[in-house]
């Protein structure tokens, strides 16, 4: 009789599980980050096909991109906080599940509104998923050279997703259809979900503070309503009800958001941070820069296909040099920062980008690839890479150690929100110039106006940076935005320190400690 309880206890005892290899955990997290970054750019080359299939207007087409970006920006800080409170593995699974289901819904959409809803849910899933990917990497790998190597891999994968998006999207559209730019996420997401369920272990760092869900909803709704109101101005005018109502609603929601943030005990965006010159000026600069840069991929893709007659694959390949340029410039930026100072490098990069935008504005209906796409595209992205790193360093220079993650997340949010509103404004300008015409000459004039406007915004941004940004930052650990989303912690020395090599994504630290690693694996042993 006494043996039966013992047998039952043995039956109920959990079966011991084998500890997963660290490299496998890192691979799962990096694959999640790759999907998030890829979907920021993979649909760009599919836009003409989407418009033809679902009969979307030019205004509707911008929302294929903006619905994802606005939801991603509005909920990004909330997603990172949710991972701390409820567990990184749990939020990884929730975010990836939402992302995968939304991809399926978008790929099967039969009407434009169905696709836009799916893209918004994709953005929400990405906002929950992206912050947990880096935290899973840093939790799985011991501190030191091994962790630096893992973070460098995470950074490279994110950059690779951004660079590969155009080409992958072009191939999928040419071989199958635009739907596969979304449907391809379904089998990949399902495999990652199974792998994460089995191999990832839970971790959290909650301190009892609650989530600021009202803040996230208010800022996302306010941004979306404002962008929609701006997009209505081309067809309805600034004084019409169709324009004024969403604009007023958006501004009101943003105002209520600021009130909520000022009063809540655990704000999504502590307004006190914006009293610091370094934080406020760098975020305004990032907002202005993002409002121009975010539009580049959208309109370059449309120009290549609608005017020059490129196939989706050719359009994706055409933008590969500029994608690589931003990676190279980001890696070179710390060296320039030591020699010239953070503010001067940010201004220099912004002016280089403005030069590329001005060059691109000279496009013609029979433009040559090298002159009208490759060279201006490289200049635009070289400038973006040079400017982003010092702006992130300046934004985080005044933050306490416990605020670094929050401030770096705010930088990413400012950039994405600026891009969302910028795309709405630029699309309205292009549509107003073309006056509904689909002729190549009219489209070229509309796209050229966008790039002229972008050049002006960037020059204005450079002036703001020169006047408002602090000259230099002290030696500190700051967070540099990764490719499109997430943040990468990286040590940025004071500009006066000589002989101290630092690379974006902590490649330098990884190289310095490479002798401590064995077999090229992410292991401290």
């Amino acid at each position: 009789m006494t043996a039966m309880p013992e047998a039952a206890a043995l039956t109920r005892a959990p079966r011991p599980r084998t500890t997963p290899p660290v490299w496998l955990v890192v691979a799962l997290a990096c694959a999640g980050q790759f999907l998030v970054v890829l979907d920021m750019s993979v649909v760009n080359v599919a836009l003409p096909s989407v418009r033809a299939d679902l009969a979307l207007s030019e205004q509707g087409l911008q929302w294929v991109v903006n619905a994802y970006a606005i939801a991603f920006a509005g909920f990004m800080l909330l997603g990172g906080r949710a991972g701390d409170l409820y567990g990184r593995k749990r939020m990884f699974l929730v975010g990836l599940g939402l992302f995968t289901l939304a991809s399926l819904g978008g790929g099967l959409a039969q009407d434009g509104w169905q696709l836009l809803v799916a893209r918004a849910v994709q953005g929400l899933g990405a906002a929950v998923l992206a912050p947990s990917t880096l935290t899973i990497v840093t939790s799985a790998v011991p501190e030191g050279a091994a962790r630096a190597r893992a973070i460098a891999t995470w950074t490279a994968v994110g950059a690779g997703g951004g660079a590969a998006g155009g080409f992958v999207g072009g191939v999928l559209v040419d071989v199958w259809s635009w739907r596969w730019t979304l449907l391809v996420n379904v089998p990949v997401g399902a495999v990652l979900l199974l792998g994460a369920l089995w191999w990832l272990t839970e971790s959290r760092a909650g301190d009892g503070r609650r989530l600021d869900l009202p803040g996230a909803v208010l800022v996302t709704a306010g941004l979306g309503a404002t962008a929609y109101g701006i997009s209505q101005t081309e067809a309805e005018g600034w004084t019409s009800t169709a324009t004024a109502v969403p604009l007023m609603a958006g501004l009101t929601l943003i105002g209520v958001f600021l009130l909520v943030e000022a009063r809540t005990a655990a704000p999504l965006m502590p307004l006190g941070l914006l009293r610091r010159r370094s934080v406020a000026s760098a975020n305004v600069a990032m907002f202005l820069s993002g409002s121009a840069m975010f539009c580049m991929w959208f309109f370059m893709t449309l120009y290549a296909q609608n005017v020059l007659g490129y196939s989706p694959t050719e359009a994706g390949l055409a933008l590969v040099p500029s994608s690589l340029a931003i990676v190279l410039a980001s890696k070179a930026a710390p060296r320039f920062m030591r020699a010239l100072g953070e503010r001067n490098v940010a201004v220099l990069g912004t002016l280089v980008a403005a030069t590329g935008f001005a060059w691109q504005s000279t496009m013609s209906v029979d433009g040559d690839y090298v002159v009208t796409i490759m060279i201006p595209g490289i200049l635009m992205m070289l400038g973006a890479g040079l400017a982003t790193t010092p702006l992130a360093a300046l934004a985080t220079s005044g933050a306490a150690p416990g605020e670094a993650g929050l401030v770096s997340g705010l930088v990413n949010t400012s950039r994405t929100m600026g891009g969302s509103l910028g795309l709405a404004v630029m699309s309205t300008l292009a549509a107003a110039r073309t006056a509904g015409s689909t002729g190549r000459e009219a489209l070229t004039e509309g796209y050229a106006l966008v790039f002229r406007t972008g050049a002006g915004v960037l020059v204005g941004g450079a002036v703001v940076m020169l006047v408002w940004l602090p000259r230099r930052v002290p030696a500190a650990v700051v967070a540099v935005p990764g490719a499109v989303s997430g943040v990468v912690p990286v040590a940025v020395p004071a500009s006066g320190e000589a002989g101290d090599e630092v690379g974006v994504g902590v490649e330098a630290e990884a190289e310095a400690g490479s002798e401590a690693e064995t077999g090229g694996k992410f292991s401290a042993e």
Side-chain angles (χ1 to χ4, degrees):
M1 295 293 293
T2 57
M4 292 180 63
E6 295 176 2
L10 289 174
T11 303
R12 290 194 300 269
R15 185 176 61 181
R17 291 177 56 179
T18 305
T19 302
V22 175
W23 67 265
L24 183 57
V25 175
V26 173
L28 285 169
C30 288
Q33 175 71 359
F34 184 85
L35 282 181
V36 169
V37 177
L38 185 75
D39 265 66
M40 289 289 287
S41 57
V42 72
V43 299
N44 281 326
V45 295
L47 292 176
S49 300
V50 172
R51 182 177 187 179
D53 193 18
L54 299 183
L56 282 172
S57 64
E58 194 71 31
Q59 176 186 344
L61 208 60
Q62 64 162 302
W63 282 97
V64 176
V65 176
N66 248 357
Y68 184 97
I70 289 174
F72 183 66
F75 287 95
M76 187 190 305
L77 294 177
L78 187 76
R81 187 72 192 133
D84 291 339
L85 292 176
Y86 304 126
R88 283 68 180 258
K89 175 182 176 178
R90 180 175 298 172
M91 290 301 103
F92 184 94
L93 293 172
V94 170
L96 183 58
L98 275 176
F99 186 89
T100 303
L101 288 174
S103 297
L104 177 62
L108 299 178
Q110 299 301 309
D111 291 300
W113 69 268
Q114 295 173 351
L115 176 60
L116 299 185
V117 170
R119 287 288 287 170
V121 178
Q122 260 194 319
L124 174 60
V128 175
L129 170 63
S132 65
T133 60
L134 179 58
T135 314
I136 287 171
V137 168
T138 56
S139 300
V141 184
E143 188 174 359
R147 180 179 293 179
R149 191 178 185 90
I151 293 173
T153 301
W154 180 90
T155 308
V157 167
F167 174 67
V168 171
V171 171
L172 290 172
V173 173
D174 275 341
V175 174
W176 289 296
S177 77
W178 68 265
R179 297 181 182 277
W180 280 96
T181 60
L182 299 172
L183 291 176
V184 71
N185 296 326
V186 178
V188 177
V191 171
L192 288 180
L193 278 169
L194 291 174
L197 276 169
W198 183 252
W199 292 114
L200 294 185
T201 56
E202 191 59 276
S203 66
R204 69 189 70 196
D207 56 8
R209 291 197 301 168
R210 62 181 179 85
L211 284 176
D212 183 18
L213 183 59
V217 172
L218 285 168
V219 71
T220 304
L223 183 66
T226 303
Y228 178 76
I230 292 171
S231 68
Q232 288 290 95
T233 58
E234 187 273 326
E236 305 292 342
W238 284 97
T239 59
S240 69
T241 302
T243 298
V245 170
L247 278 177
M248 291 301 297
L251 294 175
T252 301
L253 288 169
I254 291 173
V256 174
F257 164 73
L258 295 175
L259 289 175
V260 169
E261 297 306 283
R263 295 174 180 272
T264 187
L268 187 69
M269 186 183 74
L271 300 181
L273 291 175
L274 298 180
R275 297 192 186 100
R276 300 172 187 168
R277 176 185 174 189
S278 58
V279 175
S281 59
N283 275 278
V284 169
M286 194 69 83
F287 183 92
L288 292 172
S289 177
S291 68
M293 297 294 184
F294 193 78
C295 303
M296 177 265 191
W297 306 105
F298 183 85
F299 289 103
M300 289 284 276
T301 300
L302 293 180
Y303 171 65
Q305 293 187 67
N306 293 340
V307 176
L308 300 183
Y310 286 20
S311 70
T313 301
E314 290 170 340
L317 283 172
L319 297 178
V320 168
S322 53
S323 299
L324 297 177
I326 193 171
V327 177
L328 294 175
S330 296
K331 289 176 67 66
R335 299 177 184 272
F336 287 100
M337 288 159 62
R338 289 195 300 274
L340 303 176
E342 287 76 13
R343 184 186 67 180
N344 291 337
V345 175
V347 172
L348 173 64
T350 302
L351 292 177
V352 169
T355 302
F357 271 75
W359 188 329
Q360 188 64 58
S361 71
T362 64
M363 63 177 66
S364 63
V365 294
D366 55 355
D368 178 72
Y369 165 69
V370 173
V371 175
T372 58
I373 291 184
M374 189 181 79
I375 295 177
I378 289 175
L379 286 174
M380 285 185 270
M381 292 299 101
L382 278 176
L386 284 174
T388 299
T389 302
L391 286 176
L394 288 165
T396 55
S397 62
E403 296 173 339
L406 175 63
V407 176
S408 58
L410 184 59
V411 170
N412 282 278
T413 301
S414 297
R415 178 177 56 178
T416 309
M417 286 184 173
S420 301
L421 291 178
L423 180 57
V425 172
M426 299 299 188
S427 296
T428 300
L429 289 175
R433 175 56 62 92
T434 58
S437 173
T438 57
R440 295 171 62 212
E441 291 81 4
L443 290 175
T444 302
E445 290 179 6
Y447 301 152
L449 176 60
V450 165
F451 285 99
R452 281 198 298 275
T453 305
V457 170
L458 289 173
V459 170
V463 173
V464 170
M465 295 177 200
L466 191 62
V467 172
W468 196 7
L469 287 176
R471 187 178 299 273
R472 292 183 183 274
V473 300
V477 175
V478 302
V480 176
V484 180
S485 65
V487 291
V488 182
V490 50
V492 177
S495 301
E497 297 179 10
D500 197 5
E501 300 293 333
V502 178
V504 173
V506 290
E507 287 93 341
E509 183 184 345
E511 292 170 3
S514 59
E515 295 180 0
E517 300 180 38
T518 59
K521 298 180 179 179
F522 302 118
S523 172
E525 298 176 0

